[in-house]
Amino acid sequence: ENNDAVRIIGQAFEKEFKQLGGKVLETAYYNTNDQDFRAQLTKIKSHNPDVLIMESTAPHPYGLVLKQSAELNYVPKYVIATDQVIDPKVKEIAGNVSSEIFYPSTKIDEKWKESFKIRFGYEPDGFAARGYDGAKIYLTAVQRANTSDPEKVRDTLSHINDFHGALGTWGYNGSGKPQMPLEMVRAP
């Protein structure tokens, strides 16, 4: 998706992937409201990559990309996306093509999951857990810094390493990057 958030993620991925010996054959972006991805997919398909990586801020484009990819008879060995690929809208648009997609996931604390379900009446997903933890760790940093000054909160936040929330115990350990266990999962 052609926005700052996705471009930053893409650039970080590409840098790390190349450092690990991978080769990026093509990068294609689309505008948020686009409905047709066939031009980008045809160009990507011409390189015959082993892996197609998709990044979007909403589930709808995942479904369209997967459906149109199948229509173009482009079936890469592996497809990697975010956990939005398991949103029911993706399955509704793409059908069984949305199965077997890999996505990174974090385990949700069972006690937190149970209390979420009791309060809201449905199972929480990764977005609910990350949203909760994001707000809660920020508030923890404000409390520990004893101020809402953005720079002081940021500095405090980057050194939290014992935060316990919906995703278990995690923190930043001074690195500025969240230190939490991720696992690659396959969409059912």
Side-chain angles (χ1 to χ4, degrees), residues 149-160:
D149 176 84
E151 290 181 15
K152 291 179 180 176
V153 171
R154 180 200 60 214
D155 293 343
T156 301
L157 183 64
S158 71
H159 289 88
I160 292 176

Side-chain angles (χ1 to χ4, degrees), residues 84-122:
Q84 288 191 42
V85 79
I86 60 174
D87 186 289
K89 290 177 189 172
V90 177
K91 184 74 84 179
E92 182 181 310
I93 295 167
N96 290 335
V97 178
S98 65
S99 298
E100 304 298 313
I101 308 297
F102 288 93
Y103 63 94
S105 181
T106 52
K107 287 196 177 230
I108 299 173
D109 180 82
E110 289 300 321
K111 286 182 183 178
W112 185 86
K113 190 188 289 189
E114 185 178 313
S115 41
F116 182 98
K117 188 172 182 178
I118 290 168
R119 182 169 183 186
F120 297 104
Y122 60 92

